[in-house]
Amino acid sequence: MIHIFKKGTDATLPTLVLFHGTGGNEHDLIPLAEMLSPGSSVLGIRGNVLENGMPRYFRRLAEGVFDEEDLIFRTHEVNQFLDSAAAQYGFDSSNLVAVGYSNGANIAGSLLFHYGSIFRSAVLLHPMVPLRGLTLPSLAGVSVFIGAGTNDPLIKAEETRELEQLLQGAGADVTAHWGNQGHRLSTAEVEAARNWLGQHMN
Amino acid sequence: MTLQTAGIHHITAFVKDAQRNADFYAGILGLRLVKKTINFDAPEVYHLYFGNEQGAPGTIITFFPWVTGRKGRIGGGQVGVTTYAVPAGSLGFWEQRLAAYQIPVTKVTRISESYLSFADYDGLRIELVEREAGPLSTWSFGGVPAEHAIKGFGGAVLYSTDPGKTADTLTRTLGLEQIAEGDGYIRYRSTGDLGNIIDLKAAPVPQGGGGTGTVHHIAWRAKDDAEQLQWGRTVQSHGYQPTPVQDRQYFNAIYFREEGGILFEIATDPPGFARDEDADKLGQKLMLPAWFEPNRAVIEAKLSPFEIREVEVNQL
């Protein structure tokens, strides 16, 4: 997969794995990563699917309607890529934090749904429920931050709460932060995520 | 100057199978297939548009037939029922026709109107009601004479997880007027003569699940691109964050999810379906946007063929 790896200054810190929103690329969330955990190594991954020329991680047929077959295929593809990237760059794959926005948060969520503790922590910004009707693996020991908007134009509050409950039901420790900036990433959200991550990195 | 939408532009739903879909909406309901194109994000899936002869706003229902799609569950945050208007004195004709096709029909009364209520092959809820407003159909197919043919949408029944909030959006944002209440529904009217009567179920409906056999979104009419920009600002001033304008080839669209969970679109009346086909040949050929044209052969090979045909009563 097209990606960028930036080695951090502190090898004891987790490596941040970045998943952009629709139309973004592997560089998009690097400034965010530097705010969340300065000193961490960073792996930015570009989605392998194009929607009208815009990179995404998996196909959808309409707003909120995912191509589940493709989503599952792409989830496995990212998982394999993470294994090969860990070998190539020598980062500790048992100490990863996912940071995803929108479509990127959905693929990160799907990775948790399929592979349990693949990430120690995940910062999911404006995620949806990636898949329904799945029996989740144990997420004991995994902490998840969800950034949501009370007035998000595309994601119902019920859906955010459903995701929260699914993750908690599988044993994850979930914190939700509600902002009012729609689907946008807000400063307050980033602040909250940074404070949260600071408390969950030891 | 407060903006008021004329009413429904189109309704879009997910179904399983293109041939069954065409048989129901063209073969049985007698609508015209006004455009055969693809889902631009999943080109192996058709996007089919059925409407009146021109595919006028207020008459268009659109489908994604998706064989591998998950079955949805009708519920809150969706259009629960799609209402079609037939001319006065036509319900008897339709009752007989639906019976001949062995489609189970329930007669219901709501806010002093009689409805024939039934479901399509995928479970989407449809109802027919006699309405005086709106021009008669000029399209006749499959044994539906023009004088009894569906004119277009009467309107829709909305299932909201938060009816108070949805009511607020219908009146304060979209400019609909509340005109009646009864039988557990609140009735709103828009300024157009088709797709203009919206019934909101007054009690909250538990969240549905999207998928085949459910409506994905309902689109409201904007006169043109300029008015759509105004709509965008209006929607924003009511606390929503609409998406940027998206080019849907036959109209431009913005989307926002209202607080009762229903995905609303605001779609422009122009350019319409004659933009890439002659008005007398609508729906006959697979139409592709320019960027797909080089791959036409590959795309056509992946689509399962279907035809617009008369459905024999005894062939069911």
Side-chain angles (χ1 to χ4, degrees):
Chain A
M1 299 180 79
I2 297 173
H3 65 280
I4 177 171
F5 180 74
K6 292 180 76 172
K7 196 164 171 51
T9 52
D10 183 348
T12 63
L13 290 174
T15 297
L16 269 48
V17 184
L18 312 180
F19 300 99
H20 60 77
T22 301
N25 64 44
E26 64 279 15
H27 301 277
D28 275 13
L29 299 186
I30 286 176
L32 174 65
E34 284 166 355
M35 282 188 263
L36 291 175
S37 177
S40 275
S41 292
V42 172
L43 177 68
I45 305 174
R46 187 188 302 186
N48 254 350
V49 170
L50 285 178
E51 179 182 283
N52 287 321
M54 298 187 295
R56 278 175 61 86
Y57 293 93
F58 56 88
R59 290 202 323 170
R60 61 178 167 181
L61 277 84
E63 188 53 59
V65 182
F66 303 153
D67 180 340
E68 293 187 3
E69 277 178 45
D70 189 60
L71 170 57
I72 292 164
F73 173 81
R74 301 289 169 189
T75 302
H76 296 323
E77 190 177 55
V78 173
N79 181 51
Q80 283 169 356
F81 172 75
L82 285 173
D83 284 344
S84 65
Q88 184 180 350
Y89 298 110
F91 59 78
D92 176 2
S93 59
S94 70
N95 194 9
L96 300 180
V97 174
V99 180
Y101 168 64
S102 191
N103 177 247
N106 295 339
I107 193 80
S110 179
L111 283 154
L112 293 171
F113 273 33
H114 284 90
Y115 298 106
S117 54
I118 177 171
F119 302 118
R120 277 187 54 185
S121 308
V123 175
L124 306 181
L125 305 165
H126 301 267
M128 292 177 166
V129 174
L131 272 169
R132 290 183 171 85
L134 211 64
T135 308
L136 300 198
S138 168
L139 290 168
V142 177
S143 30
V144 180
F145 175 94
I146 296 177
T150 50
N151 58 347
D152 190 309
L154 300 172
I155 304 172
K156 305 175 199 177
E158 286 86 353
E159 176 145 8
T160 304
R161 286 194 280 271
E162 183 187 347
L163 178 64
E164 209 177 337
Q165 283 158 6
L166 286 167
L167 294 167
Q168 277 167 343
D173 161 38
V174 185
T175 304
H177 173 272
W178 289 88
N180 59 356
Q181 297 294 303
H183 196 68
R184 279 199 300 263
L185 198 49
S186 70
T187 315
E189 198 169 29
V190 173
E191 282 292 307
R194 187 182 59 184
N195 295 336
W196 175 89
L197 193 59
Q199 293 159 9
H200 285 79
M201 273 202 309
N202 3 357
Chain B
M1 165 71 202
T2 319
L3 281 179
Q4 290 184 299
T5 181
I8 301 171
H9 181 284
H10 67 267
I11 288 175
T12 293
F14 277 87
V15 293
K16 276 267 189 221
D17 178 74
Q19 185 63 64
R20 302 270 288 167
N21 183 238
D23 283 348
F24 195 89
Y25 288 88
I28 295 176
L29 294 188
L31 299 171
R32 183 183 192 188
L33 177 70
V34 293
K35 194 63 63 182
K36 177 166 43 163
T37 182
I38 53 171
N39 181 308
F40 302 155
D41 300 315
E44 79 285 2
V45 173
Y46 282 113
H47 193 178
L48 306 180
Y49 294 75
F50 298 88
N52 72 353
E53 187 171 14
Q54 300 76 33
T59 75
I60 314 153
I61 191 159
T62 102
F63 296 102
F64 295 117
W66 191 22
V67 180
T68 57
R70 178 188 289 263
K71 179 114 184 79
R73 196 181 63 255
I74 295 174
Q78 294 175 3
V79 171
V81 189
T82 299
T83 309
Y84 278 115
V86 297
S90 295
L91 275 193
F93 166 85
W94 282 100
E95 203 178 339
Q96 285 178 0
R97 182 173 174 88
L98 294 167
Y101 284 115
Q102 291 161 37
I103 293 166
V105 170
T106 316
K107 286 190 195 173
V108 292
T109 305
R110 189 170 70 246
I111 311 187
S112 347
E113 283 182 306
S114 303
Y115 292 83
L116 297 182
S117 167
F118 53 101
D120 77 359
Y121 294 138
D122 288 277
L124 283 159
R125 302 299 313 176
I126 309 279
E127 55 186 21
L128 299 179
V129 65
E130 293 181 2
R131 292 267 166 83
E132 297 284 355
L136 283 181
S137 167
T138 51
W139 185 255
S140 174
F141 183 77
V144 182
E147 71 264 21
H148 291 314
I150 288 172
K151 298 195 260 189
F153 292 127
V157 180
L158 306 185
Y159 289 173
S160 169
T161 57
D162 191 340
K165 294 238 170 76
T166 303
D168 205 50
T169 301
L170 291 174
T171 54
R172 291 183 54 236
T173 307
L174 295 172
L176 272 59
E177 179 195 359
Q178 184 180 326
I179 56 166
E181 200 168 345
D183 308 317
Y185 293 87
I186 310 164
R187 173 159 291 190
Y188 300 88
R189 187 176 56 205
S190 61
T191 60
D193 53 13
L194 284 173
N196 58 331
I197 301 290
I198 305 299
D199 286 348
L200 171 65
K201 202 172 172 59
V205 180
Q207 181 77 46
T212 63
T214 65
V215 170
H216 179 258
H217 64 262
I218 181 168
W220 306 97
R221 291 173 64 181
K223 283 191 192 73
D224 51 30
D225 288 343
E227 195 188 69
Q228 187 179 54
L229 286 176
Q230 288 180 285
W231 275 113
R233 288 195 291 270
T234 302
V235 168
Q236 241 169 343
S237 71
H238 287 93
Y240 289 111
Q241 304 272 344
T243 62
V245 174
Q246 298 178 30
D247 176 358
R248 297 300 190 208
Q249 296 290 306
Y250 309 105
F251 45 87
N252 283 330
I254 58 174
Y255 300 85
F256 66 100
R257 202 176 283 287
E258 58 81 42
E259 286 169 283
I262 308 165
L263 187 60
F264 279 2
E265 174 183 335
I266 293 176
T268 53
D269 282 359
F273 295 99
R275 83 165 271 184
D276 57 0
E277 280 178 306
D278 291 343
D280 61 345
K281 293 198 174 62
L282 293 181
Q284 291 178 10
K285 182 179 170 217
L286 180 73
M287 299 311 296
L288 299 176
W291 67 90
F292 281 112
E293 207 50 69
N295 298 322
R296 176 177 281 273
V298 177
I299 289 167
E300 285 185 341
K302 283 192 180 159
L303 290 163
S304 53
F306 73 95
E307 55 180 348
I308 297 297
R309 60 189 185 189
E310 303 206 354
V311 181
E312 299 297 328
V313 166
N314 54 13
Q315 115 187 19
L316 295 168

